[in-house]
Amino acid sequence: MFVNKSRAEKQGLATNKKIKSYPLTFYKNPPTQTISLEQFETFATDRLRVLKELSRCKSRQIRGTNLHNRMKQFLTKYICPNKIPAEEFNESIQRDIIGHFVLRLAYCSTENREWFINQEKALLKLRAEMNEGGVSNILSNFGLDYPVLSEEEHGDILEQLEDVWRARSNGRYERNHDRTKYRVVPFEMAIDLLSFRKVYLRGGNAYVHEKDLLSIVLKEFRIYLSKCLDVAHQMKGNTIANDERIENFVNKLPNQYLGTDYIPNQNKENTVDINSLDELSATSFPLCMERLHIHLRRTHHLKHHGRLQYGLFLKGIGLTLEDALDFWRREADIAGKNFDKDYSYGVKHNYGKVGKRTSYTPYSCKKLMSLPRNGEVHGCPYKIYNSDLLRQTLDNKGLSKSEIRNVIQLKEAGEEMEACKCTFDAIHPGAPNFSIIHPNQYYDKSVKYKKAEKEFVGVKQNPEVHSEVVYK
């Protein structure tokens, strides 16, 4: 989709040091450039990184300046900054536009469609807040023709506008409102503002202050993007069916893992005692492993995928081969040839002692979510459980109603790993921030937290010791 610039063109642009602001857009015009398959994939995954980071910031309640600073780094690295050198302007804009349209194809027919709409809306809001032109820039770019309050109407409703302003400003009085700061908007577009008593209604119109126009714009964008996804869904087959590589990439993109891999430490100095597993499962196991441990202890049996998932996890936290064989022999409640046939060989195989003699690594979160299920107990509970069962499970773990509500919202938005992280935060208050991508990572972070917590309790009488230092 990008055509190489001539040398003269590049030289001409290089002499132009002008900096341009990013033009806010509704993405009404699809890209027409020719690009490579690599660029097609890169632009889409980079934009998805930004949307996922926005979603993570929301779940962690990062707002205001902290949100702007965090997302400014992501926008600059993966899409384009708000301030763009003139010689990079066209390329940066096209990178942004192409990424957006590829994600439309990826999310138009998935269960995560609503998540995509919400994140694109959040991204537009963020950019509007960071953009110097702000809402005025949006209105002009999008052709949203909301007329400025006329002098005649301003005189008629000045008193009412002052009443609204006082109501929203905790009684602060303000006279002689600048009429140019108000736009006349159809009342149905301002229902959200009306519920907060931020607008005055008359004759089917809402009189909206410029500070509140962004809410109107975001509602327009949501309606527009939803319609665009309907169109993309109808055209998707004809658009990507001619190229199997593009079709596979687009279809897998919503579930693609974009983070860095977590490799559990296989050379642990401190091995895990099998007699401590009951306690560890209650305090430091992620829900997926705690569930397997409880089921195994109750029924003394796990099916194939469950044994693989839990056995490799135990290996990753430091259970030796000898202890693993002892543990499974005791828990499986069988002996002799049956144990050797159903359990012993599999345990030794996990540790690379038989078969291919490959030492297998514990399953990641993405691997768990892809495992087949036929009435078994393995996999990721945040993906498998319905909301009611997950709510009950979290309540049994002692989470508060607000904490449970946050976890359920993430689960229902398809953010299973973020839901797991939200659970971790509730159980480990004050722990350092990180992104969960692996059950063994959850365990390692929890054990480190519990160790620091014990050390803190041991020295809490020392006024120079602070929890932030301990948990660092």
Side-chain angles (χ1 to χ4, degrees):
M1 288 162 98
F2 286 136
V3 179
N4 288 332
K5 299 182 180 74
S6 67
R7 182 176 300 177
E9 219 178 343
K10 288 182 178 179
Q11 291 174 347
L13 285 172
T15 60
N16 187 351
K17 301 298 183 181
K18 184 178 179 182
I19 302 296
K20 295 184 178 182
S21 294
Y22 175 81
L24 299 169
T25 173
F26 268 18
Y27 303 96
K28 291 189 174 181
N29 299 316
T32 57
Q33 297 83 353
T34 300
I35 61 171
S36 66
L37 179 62
E38 181 181 0
Q39 288 174 315
F40 180 90
E41 294 178 351
T42 299
F43 296 166
T45 53
D46 282 352
R47 187 179 189 87
L48 187 55
R49 291 179 198 275
V50 172
L51 298 186
K52 284 184 175 290
E53 182 59 23
L54 257 180
S55 179
R56 280 191 286 268
C57 287
K58 180 181 179 181
S59 68
R60 295 168 187 168
Q61 298 183 344
I62 300 174
R63 303 185 182 95
T65 303
N66 291 334
L67 175 63
H68 289 184
N69 291 339
R70 174 66 175 165
M71 293 310 304
K72 184 177 180 180
Q73 299 174 15
F74 268 72
L75 286 169
T76 301
K77 182 176 181 179
Y78 293 115
I79 302 182
C80 62
N82 273 352
K83 297 292 186 180
I84 311 172
E87 64 270 20
E88 301 173 8
F89 186 79
N90 290 336
E91 184 172 332
S92 294
I93 296 303
Q94 290 306 318
R95 182 187 190 92
D96 178 43
I97 293 173
I98 292 168
H100 172 83
F101 274 89
V102 176
L103 290 187
R104 278 192 192 179
L105 286 174
Y107 280 90
C108 65
S109 55
T110 72
E111 59 184 10
N112 294 329
R113 167 186 167 131
E114 195 66 20
W115 177 89
F116 172 68
I117 294 175
N118 287 336
Q119 302 320 310
E120 283 287 347
K121 176 182 166 185
L123 179 59
L124 179 60
K125 179 176 184 291
L126 176 76
R127 282 175 154 174
E129 292 171 348
M130 296 170 63
N131 194 286
E132 289 181 357
V135 177
S136 298
N137 191 356
I138 298 178
L139 293 176
S140 60
N141 285 350
F142 304 154
L144 298 177
D145 189 19
Y146 299 141
V148 175
L149 178 61
S150 67
E151 289 187 16
E152 181 179 355
E153 280 190 297
H154 182 246
D156 291 341
I157 64 173
L158 177 58
E159 183 178 344
Q160 289 84 351
L161 292 178
E162 290 177 346
D163 288 340
V164 171
W165 189 265
R166 275 196 296 269
R168 62 173 293 168
S169 306
N170 296 321
R172 190 175 69 225
Y173 185 67
E174 182 173 331
R175 292 186 60 83
N176 299 321
H177 286 267
D178 183 354
R179 67 175 182 83
T180 62
K181 292 184 177 181
Y182 284 87
R183 300 289 180 122
V184 184
V185 178
F187 87 93
E188 63 269 17
M189 296 303 298
I191 292 176
D192 293 342
L193 295 174
L194 180 62
S195 63
F196 291 100
R197 300 184 178 182
K198 289 186 175 182
V199 296
Y200 172 65
L201 294 183
R202 189 177 79 162
N205 291 322
Y207 296 85
V208 183
H209 194 276
E210 63 179 14
K211 290 183 177 181
D212 300 316
L213 279 174
L214 182 55
S215 173
I216 307 295
V217 171
L218 294 176
K219 189 166 185 177
E220 291 269 19
F221 178 65
R222 182 182 185 84
I223 294 171
Y224 173 74
L225 183 55
S226 182
K227 292 178 179 178
C228 289
L229 291 179
D230 290 338
V231 174
H233 179 55
Q234 295 172 3
M235 300 177 61
K236 184 176 181 178
N238 295 330
T239 304
I240 64 176
N242 294 331
D243 193 314
E244 185 177 349
R245 298 168 303 170
I246 293 178
E247 184 177 16
N248 289 337
F249 171 76
V250 168
N251 289 335
K252 293 178 180 179
L253 187 57
N255 297 316
Q256 183 175 340
Y257 171 62
L258 302 176
T260 55
D261 290 333
Y262 177 80
I263 303 175
N265 182 7
Q266 298 298 311
N267 298 313
K268 294 182 179 288
E269 296 180 1
N270 299 320
T271 58
V272 174
D273 185 350
I274 57 176
N275 294 318
S276 67
L277 291 179
D278 283 343
E279 179 184 355
L280 288 172
S281 71
T283 60
S284 294
F285 280 17
L287 192 56
C288 55
M289 300 304 168
E290 180 185 5
R291 179 175 180 241
L292 286 171
H293 181 81
I294 292 173
H295 184 82
L296 178 61
R297 294 284 278 155
R298 286 177 179 171
T299 67
H300 302 288
H301 177 70
L302 287 176
K303 293 184 179 180
H304 175 69
H305 286 295
R307 294 199 299 270
L308 275 177
Q309 175 178 324
Y310 192 45
L312 289 173
F313 171 79
L314 292 177
K315 174 188 174 184
I317 69 173
L319 198 66
T320 65
L321 173 59
E322 292 74 18
D323 282 346
L325 289 169
D326 188 21
F327 171 75
W328 287 105
R329 184 177 289 107
R330 280 198 269 168
E331 290 304 322
D333 199 24
I334 56 177
K337 292 183 179 180
N338 287 334
F339 177 79
D340 290 337
K341 176 184 176 182
D342 295 335
Y343 284 87
S344 178
Y345 185 87
V347 173
K348 293 176 182 177
H349 191 267
N350 288 344
Y351 283 77
K353 301 302 180 182
V354 295
K356 294 182 179 179
R357 299 190 180 275
T358 298
S359 184
Y360 293 92
T361 57
Y363 288 167
S364 68
C365 294
K366 280 296 182 182
K367 175 67 174 179
L368 295 187
M369 286 188 273
S370 68
L371 291 176
R373 295 189 70 253
N374 294 306
E376 301 184 39
V377 293
H378 63 266
C380 173
Y382 298 96
K383 186 175 183 66
I384 298 165
Y385 284 4
N386 60 39
S387 296
D388 290 338
L389 180 56
L390 182 57
R391 186 177 291 107
Q392 180 183 345
T393 303
L394 297 175
D395 182 62
N396 292 339
K397 290 183 69 66
L399 272 67
S400 69
K401 289 184 178 180
S402 61
E403 290 167 341
I404 293 174
R405 183 167 57 251
N406 290 337
V407 174
I408 297 298
Q409 287 176 349
L410 290 167
K411 175 257 190 307
E412 292 178 345
E415 292 286 320
E416 292 88 0
M417 288 186 285
E418 281 302 309
C420 184
K421 177 58 169 61
C422 195
T423 303
F424 181 95
D425 291 340
I427 299 172
H428 306 80
N433 193 20
F434 68 100
S435 296
I436 285 182
I437 58 176
H438 203 291
N440 289 78
Q441 175 201 24
Y442 182 111
Y443 171 83
D444 289 343
K445 295 287 186 182
S446 177
V447 169
K448 184 180 293 186
Y449 177 94
K450 298 295 182 182
K451 181 180 178 181
E453 193 174 44
K454 289 181 180 179
E455 292 175 355
F456 177 67
V457 170
V459 297
K460 65 180 181 179
Q461 300 301 324
N462 185 346
E464 296 182 1
V465 177
H466 193 277
S467 61
E468 290 184 0
V469 176
V470 175
Y471 295 135
K472 185 175 179 181

